[in-house]
CSV table of all heavy atoms in Angstrom, one decimal:
chain,number,residue,atom,x,y,z
A,1147,ILE,N,114.3,101.0,82.5
A,1147,ILE,CA,114.6,102.4,82.3
A,1147,ILE,C,113.6,103.2,83.1
A,1147,ILE,O,113.9,104.3,83.7
A,1147,ILE,CB,114.5,102.7,80.8
A,1147,ILE,CG1,114.8,104.2,80.6
A,1147,ILE,CG2,113.2,102.3,80.2
A,1147,ILE,CD1,114.9,104.5,79.1
A,1148,PHE,N,112.4,102.7,83.3
A,1148,PHE,CA,111.3,103.5,84.0
A,1148,PHE,C,111.7,103.5,85.5
A,1148,PHE,O,111.7,104.6,86.1
A,1148,PHE,CB,110.0,102.8,83.9
A,1148,PHE,CG,109.5,102.8,82.5
A,1148,PHE,CD1,109.6,101.7,81.7
A,1148,PHE,CD2,108.9,103.9,81.9
A,1148,PHE,CE1,109.2,101.7,80.3
A,1148,PHE,CE2,108.4,104.0,80.6
A,1148,PHE,CZ,108.6,102.8,79.8
A,1149,TRP,N,112.1,102.4,86.1
A,1149,TRP,CA,112.4,102.4,87.5
A,1149,TRP,C,113.7,103.2,87.8
A,1149,TRP,O,113.8,103.9,88.8
A,1149,TRP,CB,112.6,101.0,88.0
A,1149,TRP,CG,111.3,100.3,88.4
A,1149,TRP,CD1,110.7,99.3,87.7
A,1149,TRP,CD2,110.4,100.7,89.4
A,1149,TRP,NE1,109.5,99.0,88.3
A,1149,TRP,CE2,109.3,99.8,89.3
A,1149,TRP,CE3,110.4,101.7,90.4
A,1149,TRP,CZ2,108.2,99.9,90.2
A,1149,TRP,CZ3,109.3,101.8,91.3
A,1149,TRP,CH2,108.3,100.9,91.2
A,1155,SER,N,115.8,110.2,89.6
A,1155,SER,CA,115.3,111.6,89.7
A,1155,SER,C,114.8,112.0,91.0
A,1155,SER,O,115.0,113.1,91.5
A,1155,SER,CB,114.3,111.8,88.5
A,1155,SER,OG,113.2,111.0,88.7
A,1156,SER,N,114.1,111.0,91.7
A,1156,SER,CA,113.5,111.3,93.0
A,1156,SER,C,114.6,111.6,94.0
A,1156,SER,O,114.6,112.5,94.8
A,1156,SER,CB,112.6,110.2,93.5
A,1156,SER,OG,111.5,110.0,92.6
A,1158,LEU,N,117.7,112.6,93.4
A,1158,LEU,CA,118.4,113.9,93.2
A,1158,LEU,C,117.5,115.1,93.5
A,1158,LEU,O,118.0,116.1,94.0
A,1158,LEU,CB,118.9,114.0,91.7
A,1158,LEU,CG,120.2,113.2,91.5
A,1158,LEU,CD1,120.5,113.2,90.0
A,1158,LEU,CD2,121.4,113.7,92.3
A,1160,PHE,N,115.3,115.3,95.9
A,1160,PHE,CA,115.3,115.5,97.4
A,1160,PHE,C,116.7,116.0,97.8
A,1160,PHE,O,116.8,116.9,98.6
A,1160,PHE,CB,115.0,114.2,98.1
A,1160,PHE,CG,115.0,114.4,99.6
A,1160,PHE,CD1,114.0,115.1,100.2
A,1160,PHE,CD2,116.0,113.9,100.4
A,1160,PHE,CE1,114.0,115.4,101.6
A,1160,PHE,CE2,116.1,114.1,101.7
A,1160,PHE,CZ,115.0,114.9,102.4
A,1162,THR,N,118.7,117.9,96.1
A,1162,THR,CA,118.8,119.3,95.8
A,1162,THR,C,118.0,120.2,96.8
A,1162,THR,O,118.6,121.2,97.2
A,1162,THR,CB,118.1,119.5,94.4
A,1162,THR,OG1,118.7,118.6,93.5
A,1162,THR,CG2,118.2,120.9,93.9
A,1163,LYS,N,116.8,119.7,97.2
A,1163,LYS,CA,116.1,120.5,98.2
A,1163,LYS,C,116.8,120.6,99.5
A,1163,LYS,O,116.9,121.7,100.1
A,1163,LYS,CB,114.7,119.8,98.4
A,1163,LYS,CG,113.8,119.9,97.2
A,1163,LYS,CD,112.5,119.0,97.4
A,1163,LYS,CE,111.5,119.1,96.2
A,1163,LYS,NZ,110.5,118.0,96.4
A,1166,GLY,N,119.9,122.9,99.4
A,1166,GLY,CA,119.6,124.4,99.5
A,1166,GLY,C,119.3,124.8,100.9
A,1166,GLY,O,119.6,125.9,101.3
A,1168,SER,N,120.6,123.6,103.5
A,1168,SER,CA,121.7,123.3,104.4
A,1168,SER,C,122.9,124.1,104.2
A,1168,SER,O,123.8,124.3,105.1
A,1168,SER,CB,122.1,121.8,104.3
A,1168,SER,OG,120.9,121.0,104.5
A,1174,LEU,N,125.2,130.2,97.1
A,1174,LEU,CA,124.3,130.3,96.0
A,1174,LEU,C,123.7,131.7,95.7
A,1174,LEU,O,122.9,131.8,94.8
A,1174,LEU,CB,123.1,129.3,96.3
A,1174,LEU,CG,123.4,127.9,96.4
A,1174,LEU,CD1,122.1,127.1,96.8
A,1174,LEU,CD2,124.0,127.3,95.2
A,1178,ARG,N,125.0,135.7,89.2
A,1178,ARG,CA,125.1,134.8,88.0
A,1178,ARG,C,124.4,133.5,88.3
A,1178,ARG,O,123.7,133.0,87.4
A,1178,ARG,CB,126.6,134.6,87.8
A,1178,ARG,CG,126.9,134.1,86.4
A,1178,ARG,CD,128.4,134.2,86.1
A,1178,ARG,NE,128.7,135.4,85.4
A,1178,ARG,CZ,130.0,135.8,85.2
A,1178,ARG,NH1,131.0,135.2,85.8
A,1178,ARG,NH2,130.2,136.9,84.5
A,1181,ARG,N,120.7,134.2,88.0
A,1181,ARG,CA,120.2,134.4,86.6
A,1181,ARG,C,120.2,133.1,85.9
A,1181,ARG,O,119.2,132.8,85.2
A,1181,ARG,CB,121.2,135.4,85.9
A,1181,ARG,CG,121.0,136.8,86.2
A,1181,ARG,CD,121.6,137.7,85.1
A,1181,ARG,NE,123.0,137.4,84.7
A,1181,ARG,CZ,124.0,137.9,85.3
A,1181,ARG,NH1,123.8,138.8,86.3
A,1181,ARG,NH2,125.2,137.6,85.0
A,1183,ASN,N,119.8,130.2,87.1
A,1183,ASN,CA,118.7,129.4,87.7
A,1183,ASN,C,117.4,129.8,87.2
A,1183,ASN,O,116.5,129.0,87.0
A,1183,ASN,CB,118.8,129.6,89.2
A,1183,ASN,CG,117.8,128.8,89.9
A,1183,ASN,OD1,117.8,127.6,89.9
A,1183,ASN,ND2,116.8,129.4,90.5
A,1185,LEU,N,116.8,131.0,84.2
A,1185,LEU,CA,116.7,130.8,82.8
A,1185,LEU,C,116.6,129.3,82.5
A,1185,LEU,O,116.1,128.9,81.4
A,1185,LEU,CB,117.9,131.4,82.0
A,1185,LEU,CG,118.0,132.9,82.1
A,1185,LEU,CD1,119.2,133.4,81.4
A,1185,LEU,CD2,116.7,133.5,81.5
A,1186,ILE,N,117.1,128.4,83.3
A,1186,ILE,CA,117.1,127.0,83.1
A,1186,ILE,C,115.7,126.4,82.8
A,1186,ILE,O,115.5,125.7,81.8
A,1186,ILE,CB,117.9,126.2,84.2
A,1186,ILE,CG1,119.4,126.3,83.9
A,1186,ILE,CG2,117.5,124.7,84.2
A,1186,ILE,CD1,120.3,125.6,84.9
A,1187,PRO,N,114.7,126.8,83.6
A,1187,PRO,CA,113.4,126.2,83.3
A,1187,PRO,C,112.9,126.7,82.0
A,1187,PRO,O,112.2,125.9,81.3
A,1187,PRO,CB,112.5,126.8,84.5
A,1187,PRO,CG,113.4,127.2,85.5
A,1187,PRO,CD,114.8,127.5,84.9
A,1188,ILE,N,113.2,127.9,81.6
A,1188,ILE,CA,112.7,128.4,80.3
A,1188,ILE,C,113.3,127.6,79.2
A,1188,ILE,O,112.6,127.2,78.2
A,1188,ILE,CB,113.0,129.9,80.2
A,1188,ILE,CG1,112.2,130.7,81.3
A,1188,ILE,CG2,112.7,130.5,78.8
A,1188,ILE,CD1,112.6,132.1,81.4
A,1189,ALA,N,114.6,127.4,79.2
A,1189,ALA,CA,115.3,126.7,78.1
A,1189,ALA,C,114.8,125.2,78.0
A,1189,ALA,O,114.5,124.7,77.0
A,1189,ALA,CB,116.8,126.7,78.3
A,1190,LEU,N,114.8,124.6,79.2
A,1190,LEU,CA,114.4,123.2,79.2
A,1190,LEU,C,112.9,122.9,78.9
A,1190,LEU,O,112.6,122.0,78.1
A,1190,LEU,CB,114.7,122.5,80.5
A,1190,LEU,CG,116.2,122.4,80.8
A,1190,LEU,CD1,116.5,121.7,82.2
A,1190,LEU,CD2,117.0,121.6,79.7
A,1192,SER,N,111.0,124.9,77.1
A,1192,SER,CA,110.8,125.1,75.6
A,1192,SER,C,111.2,123.9,74.8
A,1192,SER,O,110.5,123.5,73.9
A,1192,SER,CB,111.7,126.3,75.2
A,1192,SER,OG,111.4,127.5,76.0
A,1194,LEU,N,111.4,120.9,75.8
A,1194,LEU,CA,110.4,119.8,76.1
A,1194,LEU,C,109.1,120.0,75.3
A,1194,LEU,O,108.5,119.0,74.7
A,1194,LEU,CB,110.1,119.7,77.6
A,1194,LEU,CG,111.2,119.0,78.4
A,1194,LEU,CD1,111.1,119.3,79.9
A,1194,LEU,CD2,111.1,117.5,78.2
A,1195,VAL,N,108.6,121.2,75.1
A,1195,VAL,CA,107.5,121.5,74.3
A,1195,VAL,C,107.8,121.1,72.9
A,1195,VAL,O,107.0,120.3,72.2
A,1195,VAL,CB,107.1,123.0,74.4
A,1195,VAL,CG1,105.9,123.2,73.4
A,1195,VAL,CG2,106.6,123.4,75.8
A,1198,ASN,N,108.4,117.2,72.4
A,1198,ASN,CA,107.2,116.3,72.6
A,1198,ASN,C,106.1,116.6,71.6
A,1198,ASN,O,105.1,115.9,71.6
A,1198,ASN,CB,106.7,116.5,74.0
A,1198,ASN,CG,107.5,115.6,75.0
A,1198,ASN,OD1,107.2,114.4,75.1
A,1198,ASN,ND2,108.4,116.2,75.7
A,1204,SER,N,114.0,110.1,66.3
A,1204,SER,CA,115.0,111.1,65.7
A,1204,SER,C,114.4,111.8,64.5
A,1204,SER,O,115.2,112.5,63.8
A,1204,SER,CB,116.3,110.4,65.4
A,1204,SER,OG,116.1,109.4,64.4
A,1215,ILE,N,99.2,121.2,70.2
A,1215,ILE,CA,100.0,122.2,70.8
A,1215,ILE,C,99.7,123.6,70.2
A,1215,ILE,O,99.7,124.6,70.9
A,1215,ILE,CB,101.5,121.9,70.7
A,1215,ILE,CG1,102.3,122.6,71.8
A,1215,ILE,CG2,102.1,122.4,69.4
A,1215,ILE,CD1,102.1,122.0,73.2
A,1222,LEU,N,96.3,129.8,75.4
A,1222,LEU,CA,97.2,130.6,76.3
A,1222,LEU,C,97.1,132.1,75.9
A,1222,LEU,O,97.1,132.9,76.8
A,1222,LEU,CB,98.6,130.1,76.3
A,1222,LEU,CG,98.8,128.8,77.1
A,1222,LEU,CD1,100.1,128.2,76.7
A,1222,LEU,CD2,98.8,129.1,78.6
A,1235,ALA,N,94.1,121.0,74.2
A,1235,ALA,CA,95.1,120.4,73.4
A,1235,ALA,C,94.8,118.9,73.2
A,1235,ALA,O,94.9,118.4,72.1
A,1235,ALA,CB,96.5,120.5,74.0
A,1236,ALA,N,94.4,118.3,74.2
A,1236,ALA,CA,94.0,116.8,74.2
A,1236,ALA,C,92.8,116.6,73.2
A,1236,ALA,O,92.9,115.7,72.4
A,1236,ALA,CB,93.7,116.3,75.6
A,1239,SER,N,93.9,117.2,69.6
A,1239,SER,CA,94.8,116.1,69.1
A,1239,SER,C,94.0,114.8,68.9
A,1239,SER,O,94.1,114.1,67.9
A,1239,SER,CB,95.9,115.8,70.1
A,1239,SER,OG,96.7,114.8,69.7
A,1240,ALA,N,93.1,114.5,69.9
A,1240,ALA,CA,92.3,113.2,69.8
A,1240,ALA,C,91.4,113.3,68.6
A,1240,ALA,O,91.2,112.3,67.9
A,1240,ALA,CB,91.5,113.0,71.1
A,1243,TYR,N,93.3,112.6,65.5
A,1243,TYR,CA,93.8,111.2,65.5
A,1243,TYR,C,92.7,110.3,65.1
A,1243,TYR,O,92.9,109.3,64.4
A,1243,TYR,CB,94.3,110.8,67.0
A,1243,TYR,CG,94.8,109.4,67.1
A,1243,TYR,CD1,96.2,109.2,66.9
A,1243,TYR,CD2,94.0,108.4,67.5
A,1243,TYR,CE1,96.7,107.9,67.0
A,1243,TYR,CE2,94.5,107.1,67.6
A,1243,TYR,CZ,95.9,106.9,67.3
A,1243,TYR,OH,96.4,105.6,67.5
A,1244,ARG,N,91.5,110.6,65.5
A,1244,ARG,CA,90.4,109.7,65.2
A,1244,ARG,C,89.9,109.8,63.8
A,1244,ARG,O,89.3,108.9,63.2
A,1244,ARG,CB,89.2,109.9,66.2
A,1244,ARG,CG,89.5,109.3,67.6
A,1244,ARG,CD,88.5,109.7,68.6
A,1244,ARG,NE,89.0,109.3,69.9
A,1244,ARG,CZ,88.3,108.5,70.8
A,1244,ARG,NH1,87.1,108.1,70.4
A,1244,ARG,NH2,88.8,108.2,71.9
B,1287,HIS,N,103.9,105.5,79.2
B,1287,HIS,CA,104.1,104.1,79.5
B,1287,HIS,C,104.7,103.8,80.8
B,1287,HIS,O,105.3,102.7,81.0
B,1287,HIS,CB,104.9,103.4,78.4
B,1287,HIS,CG,104.3,103.6,77.0
B,1287,HIS,ND1,103.1,103.0,76.6
B,1287,HIS,CD2,104.7,104.3,75.9
B,1287,HIS,CE1,102.8,103.4,75.4
B,1287,HIS,NE2,103.7,104.2,75.0
B,1292,GLN,N,104.6,103.6,89.4
B,1292,GLN,CA,105.7,104.4,89.1
B,1292,GLN,C,105.3,105.9,89.0
B,1292,GLN,O,106.0,106.8,89.5
B,1292,GLN,CB,106.4,104.0,87.8
B,1292,GLN,CG,107.2,102.7,87.9
B,1292,GLN,CD,107.4,102.1,86.6
B,1292,GLN,OE1,106.7,102.3,85.6
B,1292,GLN,NE2,108.4,101.2,86.5
B,1295,LEU,N,104.7,107.1,92.5
B,1295,LEU,CA,105.9,107.3,93.3
B,1295,LEU,C,106.6,108.6,92.9
B,1295,LEU,O,107.3,109.2,93.7
B,1295,LEU,CB,106.9,106.1,93.0
B,1295,LEU,CG,106.5,104.8,93.8
B,1295,LEU,CD1,107.5,103.7,93.5
B,1295,LEU,CD2,106.6,105.1,95.3
B,1300,LEU,N,109.5,112.4,94.2
B,1300,LEU,CA,110.2,113.6,93.5
B,1300,LEU,C,109.5,114.9,93.9
B,1300,LEU,O,110.1,115.8,94.3
B,1300,LEU,CB,110.1,113.3,92.0
B,1300,LEU,CG,111.2,114.1,91.2
B,1300,LEU,CD1,111.2,113.6,89.7
B,1300,LEU,CD2,110.9,115.6,91.2
B,1301,PHE,N,108.2,114.9,93.8
B,1301,PHE,CA,107.3,116.0,94.2
B,1301,PHE,C,107.8,117.4,93.8
B,1301,PHE,O,108.2,118.2,94.6
B,1301,PHE,CB,107.1,116.0,95.8
B,1301,PHE,CG,106.1,116.9,96.2
B,1301,PHE,CD1,104.8,116.9,95.7
B,1301,PHE,CD2,106.4,117.9,97.2
B,1301,PHE,CE1,103.8,117.8,96.1
B,1301,PHE,CE2,105.4,118.8,97.6
B,1301,PHE,CZ,104.1,118.8,97.1
B,1309,VAL,N,110.6,114.0,83.6
B,1309,VAL,CA,111.0,112.5,83.6
B,1309,VAL,C,110.1,111.8,82.6
B,1309,VAL,O,110.6,111.1,81.7
B,1309,VAL,CB,110.8,111.9,85.0
B,1309,VAL,CG1,111.0,110.4,84.9
B,1309,VAL,CG2,111.7,112.6,86.0
B,1311,GLY,N,108.3,113.1,80.2
B,1311,GLY,CA,108.4,113.6,78.8
B,1311,GLY,C,109.6,113.1,78.1
B,1311,GLY,O,109.5,112.8,76.9
B,1317,GLY,N,114.0,109.0,75.2
B,1317,GLY,CA,115.3,109.3,75.8
B,1317,GLY,C,115.7,108.3,76.8
B,1317,GLY,O,114.9,107.4,77.2
B,1327,SER,N,116.6,116.9,87.0
B,1327,SER,CA,117.3,117.5,88.1
B,1327,SER,C,117.7,118.9,87.9
B,1327,SER,O,117.7,119.7,88.8
B,1327,SER,CB,118.6,116.7,88.4
B,1327,SER,OG,118.3,115.3,88.7
B,1328,LEU,N,118.0,119.3,86.6
B,1328,LEU,CA,118.3,120.7,86.3
B,1328,LEU,C,117.1,121.5,86.5
B,1328,LEU,O,117.1,122.7,87.0
B,1328,LEU,CB,118.8,120.8,84.9
B,1328,LEU,CG,120.3,120.6,84.7
B,1328,LEU,CD1,120.7,120.6,83.2
B,1328,LEU,CD2,121.1,121.6,85.5
B,1330,GLY,N,115.0,121.1,88.7
B,1330,GLY,CA,114.7,121.1,90.2
B,1330,GLY,C,115.7,122.0,90.9
B,1330,GLY,O,115.6,122.2,92.1
B,1331,THR,N,116.7,122.6,90.2
B,1331,THR,CA,117.7,123.4,90.9
B,1331,THR,C,117.1,124.6,91.6
B,1331,THR,O,117.6,125.0,92.6
B,1331,THR,CB,118.8,123.9,90.0
B,1331,THR,OG1,118.2,124.6,88.9
B,1331,THR,CG2,119.7,122.8,89.5
B,1332,ARG,N,116.0,125.1,91.1
B,1332,ARG,CA,115.4,126.3,91.7
B,1332,ARG,C,114.9,126.0,93.1
B,1332,ARG,O,114.9,126.9,94.0
B,1332,ARG,CB,114.3,126.9,90.9
B,1332,ARG,CG,113.1,126.0,90.7
B,1332,ARG,CD,112.1,126.7,89.8
B,1332,ARG,NE,110.8,126.0,89.7
B,1332,ARG,CZ,110.6,124.8,89.2
B,1332,ARG,NH1,111.6,124.1,88.7
B,1332,ARG,NH2,109.4,124.3,89.3
B,1334,ALA,N,116.5,124.4,95.3
B,1334,ALA,CA,117.7,124.6,96.2
B,1334,ALA,C,117.7,126.1,96.6
B,1334,ALA,O,117.9,126.5,97.8
B,1334,ALA,CB,119.0,124.2,95.6
B,1335,LEU,N,117.4,127.0,95.6
B,1335,LEU,CA,117.4,128.4,96.0
B,1335,LEU,C,116.3,128.8,96.8
B,1335,LEU,O,116.4,129.7,97.7
B,1335,LEU,CB,117.4,129.2,94.7
B,1335,LEU,CG,118.7,129.1,93.8
B,1335,LEU,CD1,118.7,130.1,92.7
B,1335,LEU,CD2,120.0,129.2,94.6
B,1338,LEU,N,117.3,127.8,100.3
B,1338,LEU,CA,118.2,128.8,100.8
B,1338,LEU,C,117.5,130.0,101.3
B,1338,LEU,O,117.8,130.6,102.4
B,1338,LEU,CB,119.2,129.2,99.7
B,1338,LEU,CG,120.4,130.1,100.0
B,1338,LEU,CD1,121.4,129.2,100.7
B,1338,LEU,CD2,120.9,130.7,98.7
B,1351,LYS,N,113.4,119.2,109.3
B,1351,LYS,CA,114.1,119.7,108.2
B,1351,LYS,C,113.9,118.8,107.0
B,1351,LYS,O,113.8,119.3,105.8
B,1351,LYS,CB,115.6,119.7,108.6
B,1351,LYS,CG,116.5,120.4,107.5
B,1351,LYS,CD,117.8,120.7,108.1
B,1351,LYS,CE,118.7,121.4,107.0
B,1351,LYS,NZ,120.0,121.8,107.5
B,1355,ALA,N,112.2,120.1,103.7
B,1355,ALA,CA,112.9,120.1,102.4
B,1355,ALA,C,112.0,119.4,101.3
B,1355,ALA,O,111.9,120.0,100.2
B,1355,ALA,CB,114.2,119.3,102.5
B,1356,GLN,N,111.4,118.3,101.6
B,1356,GLN,CA,110.5,117.6,100.6
B,1356,GLN,C,109.4,118.5,100.1
B,1356,GLN,O,109.1,118.4,98.9
B,1356,GLN,CB,110.0,116.3,101.2
B,1356,GLN,CG,109.1,115.5,100.3
B,1356,GLN,CD,109.8,114.9,99.1
B,1356,GLN,OE1,111.0,115.3,98.8
B,1356,GLN,NE2,109.2,114.1,98.4
B,1406,ASN,N,94.4,103.4,74.8
B,1406,ASN,CA,95.3,104.0,73.8
B,1406,ASN,C,95.4,105.5,74.1
B,1406,ASN,O,94.4,106.3,73.9
B,1406,ASN,CB,94.8,103.8,72.4
B,1406,ASN,CG,95.7,104.5,71.4
B,1406,ASN,OD1,96.7,105.1,71.7
B,1406,ASN,ND2,95.3,104.4,70.1
B,1408,SER,N,96.9,108.0,72.5
B,1408,SER,CA,96.7,108.9,71.4
B,1408,SER,C,95.3,109.1,71.1
B,1408,SER,O,94.9,110.2,70.6
B,1408,SER,CB,97.4,108.3,70.2
B,1408,SER,OG,98.8,108.2,70.4
B,1409,ALA,N,94.4,108.1,71.2
B,1409,ALA,CA,93.0,108.2,70.9
B,1409,ALA,C,92.3,109.3,71.8
B,1409,ALA,O,91.3,109.8,71.4
B,1409,ALA,CB,92.3,106.9,71.0
B,1411,GLY,N,94.1,111.9,73.0
B,1411,GLY,CA,94.9,113.1,73.0
B,1411,GLY,C,95.9,113.3,74.1
B,1411,GLY,O,96.5,114.4,74.3
B,1414,ALA,N,99.3,114.8,73.3
B,1414,ALA,CA,99.4,116.2,73.1
B,1414,ALA,C,99.2,116.9,74.5
B,1414,ALA,O,99.7,118.1,74.6
B,1414,ALA,CB,98.3,116.7,72.2
B,1417,PRO,N,103.0,117.9,76.0
B,1417,PRO,CA,103.6,119.1,75.7
B,1417,PRO,C,102.8,120.4,76.0
B,1417,PRO,O,103.3,121.4,76.4
B,1417,PRO,CB,103.8,119.0,74.1
B,1417,PRO,CG,102.9,117.9,73.7
B,1417,PRO,CD,102.8,117.0,74.8
B,1418,ALA,N,101.5,120.2,76.0
B,1418,ALA,CA,100.6,121.3,76.4
B,1418,ALA,C,100.8,121.7,77.9
B,1418,ALA,O,100.9,122.9,78.3
B,1418,ALA,CB,99.1,121.0,76.2
B,1433,THR,N,113.7,136.4,77.9
B,1433,THR,CA,113.1,135.1,78.2
B,1433,THR,C,112.5,134.5,76.9
B,1433,THR,O,112.6,133.3,76.6
B,1433,THR,CB,112.1,135.1,79.3
B,1433,THR,OG1,111.1,136.1,79.0
B,1433,THR,CG2,112.7,135.4,80.6
B,1437,ALA,N,113.5,131.1,74.8
B,1437,ALA,CA,112.5,130.1,74.5
B,1437,ALA,C,112.6,129.7,73.0
B,1437,ALA,O,112.6,128.5,72.6
B,1437,ALA,CB,111.1,130.6,74.8
B,1440,ALA,N,115.9,127.8,72.3
B,1440,ALA,CA,115.8,126.5,72.8
B,1440,ALA,C,115.0,125.6,71.9
B,1440,ALA,O,115.3,124.4,71.6
B,1440,ALA,CB,115.4,126.4,74.2
B,1449,PRO,N,117.6,115.1,64.8
B,1449,PRO,CA,118.0,114.1,63.9
B,1449,PRO,C,119.4,113.5,64.2
B,1449,PRO,O,119.7,112.4,63.7
B,1449,PRO,CB,118.0,114.8,62.5
B,1449,PRO,CG,117.2,116.0,62.8
B,1449,PRO,CD,117.4,116.4,64.2
B,1457,ILE,N,117.3,117.9,74.4
B,1457,ILE,CA,116.6,118.6,75.4
B,1457,ILE,C,117.6,119.2,76.4
B,1457,ILE,O,117.6,120.4,76.7
B,1457,ILE,CB,115.5,117.8,76.1
B,1457,ILE,CG1,114.4,117.3,75.1
B,1457,ILE,CG2,114.8,118.5,77.3
B,1457,ILE,CD1,113.5,116.2,75.6
B,1460,CYS,N,119.9,122.1,75.8
B,1460,CYS,CA,119.4,123.5,75.9
B,1460,CYS,C,119.7,124.2,77.2
B,1460,CYS,O,119.7,125.4,77.3
B,1460,CYS,CB,117.9,123.5,75.6
B,1460,CYS,SG,117.6,123.1,73.9
B,1468,GLY,N,122.7,133.4,80.9
B,1468,GLY,CA,122.8,133.8,82.3
B,1468,GLY,C,124.2,134.3,82.7
B,1468,GLY,O,124.3,135.3,83.4
B,1469,TRP,N,125.2,133.7,82.1
B,1469,TRP,CA,126.6,134.1,82.4
B,1469,TRP,C,126.8,135.5,81.8
B,1469,TRP,O,127.4,136.3,82.5
B,1469,TRP,CB,127.5,133.1,81.7
B,1469,TRP,CG,128.9,133.2,82.2
B,1469,TRP,CD1,129.9,134.0,81.8
B,1469,TRP,CD2,129.5,132.4,83.3
B,1469,TRP,NE1,131.0,133.8,82.5
B,1469,TRP,CE2,130.8,132.8,83.5
B,1469,TRP,CE3,129.0,131.4,84.2
B,1469,TRP,CZ2,131.6,132.3,84.5
B,1469,TRP,CZ3,129.8,130.9,85.1
B,1469,TRP,CH2,131.1,131.3,85.3
Side-chain angles (χ1 to χ4, degrees):
Chain A
I1147 179 173
F1148 296 99
W1149 278 113
S1155 60
S1156 295
L1158 281 175
F1160 181 71
T1162 305
K1163 291 168 177 171
S1168 308
L1174 298 174
R1178 197 166 263 166
R1181 280 203 307 272
N1183 183 69
L1185 296 180
I1186 279 180
I1188 295 169
L1190 291 182
S1192 303
L1194 281 160
V1195 173
N1198 278 282
S1204 64
I1215 207 71
L1222 283 164
S1239 178
Y1243 182 87
R1244 285 171 190 234
Chain B
H1287 306 292
Q1292 288 161 341
L1295 282 177
L1300 201 170
F1301 190 54
V1309 174
S1327 301
L1328 275 175
T1331 53
R1332 67 186 189 289
L1335 297 188
L1338 187 75
K1351 185 168 184 175
Q1356 178 66 348
N1406 180 4
S1408 296
T1433 52
I1457 298 168
C1460 290
W1469 195 274

